Amino acid sequence: MLYSSATFSWSNLPSRSAITEFDEQKEMISTSGYFHVKWTDEYLMWNKDQYNGTTELYLPQDDIWKPDLVLANSYKSFTGMGYPNLNMALNSSGYVQWVPNQVLESTCSVNIRYFPFDEQTCVLKINAWSYSSDDVQLSIANEGIDLTGYSTNSQWDLLSTHARVLDIPDESAVEFELHLKRRASFYVLNIIAPVLLLSLLGPFAFVLPADSGERSGYAVTMFLSLAVFLTIIASELPKNSEQVSYISVYLISMTACNTVILAISLAQVRLVKRDAAREPVGPYLRCLYRLYARLRCAFSDEPTRRLNVVHVSDAKTKERTRRETNNTYLPWPEVMNALDFLMFWLFIIITVICTVVLYLVAFFKV
């Protein structure tokens, strides 16, 4: 064994410690800080009385042995800690202190399910690359990271840290765990609130007259607006298929609702101009009209006018006229007004339910 008494800890450098970057798309986190590594090397002991009472020396880190510590889950390249001109403190008892400062770029798997109210856990794995656990044993000085002088990040809150020694055969390694929570105020003001307002505006297409050309244009505008926000959110998330963001599901649901609203609006533009005398209202639309009348407490107010019968000699025409005369006359514009009322409240209810479910899931992490 190269050394048997060693401690390894990561403390943040008071003047420069921070989470410098967290790129969710690349699943990369960049952190700055310094490591405090110390061990006893029996080959570097000396008798201070033989050297004019010298008890301590400072030597460049490449001049004496040191464990080749490497960030095992590095994002780009595997490089050793420190730099050639960095000095290490050595005393006469062989006690060595090495304090390399480092900017670490490590991989971090991102869970986007609760975006933008998500919490992420990133791990920094440090190991002695060339040595096994039989050669070098790493230990930790405490169970977390010293956050003295830590500079807060504008996008992420550091909730907690944890450190542990890994029990891996033929490998000496330690892990530092960072528990982060996203600051969601930016996304709430710039994405969530506009999306919510757009979703509520969608059903108001049924407030416009059915024979108005502005209705279809309004529905198309709402559809395209939601599609733009869906594109913006997709650009903020990593391109993986392991998890699906609930906000993306919500936007897709609202986009689907606006697609249905647009289809109904286009159909109403055609139906409202039909002549009820030649193309009477079908039984399904009559059922919807009766439902509308009941909801408006006006079932008895359904028009009871009858068609004026024209005496004709054709037998088929007489039979058709007789059936139409026995049926209640129901104008298409009134049916479209009833359909507007029902569809407006139906899509308002769907939007409210989807919104409430989204935020309950996001806040309570269901």
Side-chain angles (χ1 to χ4, degrees):
M1 182 178 291
L2 295 178
Y3 63 92
S4 59
S5 176
T7 57
F8 181 88
S9 64
W10 181 26
S11 302
N12 280 332
L13 193 62
S15 61
R16 291 182 292 177
S17 64
I19 297 173
T20 56
E21 183 183 2
F22 191 1
D23 193 328
E24 299 99 304
Q25 284 189 308
K26 297 179 180 179
E27 297 188 301
M28 182 273 292
I29 184 171
S30 176
T31 55
S32 63
Y34 75 85
F35 296 92
H36 191 184
V37 189
K38 49 190 176 180
W39 67 92
T40 300
D41 192 335
E42 60 185 14
Y43 296 105
L44 296 178
M45 296 179 181
W46 72 87
N47 188 341
K48 62 181 180 180
D49 296 331
Q50 296 178 356
Y51 297 94
N52 297 324
T54 302
T55 59
E56 192 171 20
L57 294 175
Y58 290 92
L59 301 173
Q61 70 170 28
D62 291 342
D63 288 358
I64 61 175
W65 180 90
K66 68 181 185 301
D68 53 347
L69 301 178
V70 175
L71 178 63
N73 59 333
S74 176
Y75 178 74
K76 289 184 178 179
S77 60
F78 298 94
T79 58
M81 298 290 179
Y83 48 91
N85 295 328
L86 179 65
N87 289 329
M88 295 193 294
L90 170 65
N91 63 23
S92 58
S93 61
Y95 183 73
V96 184
Q97 294 189 71
W98 180 34
V99 189
N101 57 328
Q102 202 80 13
V103 176
L104 302 175
E105 292 185 352
S106 60
T107 59
C108 180
S109 180
V110 178
N111 186 343
I112 62 174
R113 182 165 298 168
Y114 300 105
F115 175 87
F117 307 102
D118 52 327
E119 298 180 7
Q120 306 296 337
T121 300
C122 297
V123 174
L124 306 176
K125 181 182 177 183
I126 309 294
N127 67 356
W129 192 262
S130 302
Y131 304 101
S132 67
S133 57
D134 295 330
D135 300 323
V136 174
Q137 292 181 353
L138 297 179
S139 62
I140 55 176
N142 47 55
E143 295 184 355
I145 298 174
D146 183 6
L147 298 178
T148 303
Y150 171 74
S151 300
T152 58
N153 187 274
S154 61
Q155 297 183 8
W156 296 90
D157 286 325
L158 181 59
L159 300 181
S160 62
T161 64
H162 183 71
R164 62 178 177 270
V165 178
L166 299 181
D167 185 13
I168 303 176
D170 298 328
E171 182 180 358
S172 184
V174 294
E175 275 189 352
F176 296 96
E177 187 176 278
L178 308 176
H179 188 195
L180 308 173
K181 182 178 181 180
R182 188 192 301 271
R183 296 184 177 184
S185 57
F186 172 82
Y187 297 96
V188 170
L189 292 176
N190 293 277
I191 295 180
I192 303 299
V195 166
L196 177 59
L197 294 176
L198 282 174
S199 301
L200 292 174
L201 284 175
F204 279 86
F206 296 107
V207 175
L208 297 173
D211 57 351
S212 173
E214 287 79 7
R215 171 183 282 197
S216 57
Y218 178 88
V220 169
T221 302
M222 292 297 102
F223 175 85
L224 294 177
S225 299
L226 289 173
V228 168
F229 276 101
L230 185 60
T231 303
I232 293 174
I233 290 180
S235 65
E236 294 286 334
L237 302 177
K239 297 175 176 59
N240 64 56
S241 301
E242 294 181 0
Q243 298 95 16
V244 178
S245 172
Y246 286 124
I247 186 64
S248 297
V249 175
Y250 175 79
L251 276 172
I252 292 174
S253 301
M254 292 301 99
T255 304
C257 288
N258 276 269
T259 302
V260 177
I261 290 173
L262 176 60
I264 294 175
S265 299
L266 294 176
Q268 283 182 301
V269 172
R270 182 178 180 86
L271 293 176
V272 74
K273 297 181 179 180
R274 282 188 175 184
D275 184 2
R278 300 179 59 185
E279 298 177 288
V281 178
Y284 296 108
L285 290 177
R286 284 180 174 272
C287 291
L288 291 177
Y289 183 84
R290 293 190 181 96
L291 176 61
Y292 157 77
R294 289 176 182 175
L295 293 175
R296 297 291 299 268
C297 300
F299 180 76
S300 59
D301 294 336
E302 183 179 352
T304 56
R305 299 187 300 273
R306 294 183 178 275
L307 294 172
N308 294 324
V309 180
V310 179
H311 296 284
V312 290
S313 57
D314 183 67
K316 292 183 179 180
T317 304
K318 286 183 177 180
E319 179 63 21
R320 180 173 59 84
T321 303
R322 183 184 64 79
R323 290 197 304 267
E324 292 179 347
T325 303
N326 291 333
N327 291 331
T328 301
Y329 175 73
L330 192 59
W332 280 101
E334 293 190 20
V335 176
M336 294 301 102
N337 289 335
L339 189 62
D340 286 342
F341 176 84
L342 295 176
M343 293 298 103
F344 173 80
W345 287 109
L346 173 64
F347 284 101
I348 283 289
I349 292 172
I350 291 175
T351 301
V352 171
I353 290 176
C354 290
T355 304
V356 171
V357 169
L358 169 71
Y359 284 97
L360 287 177
V361 168
F363 279 112
F364 295 100
K365 302 293 187 296
V366 178

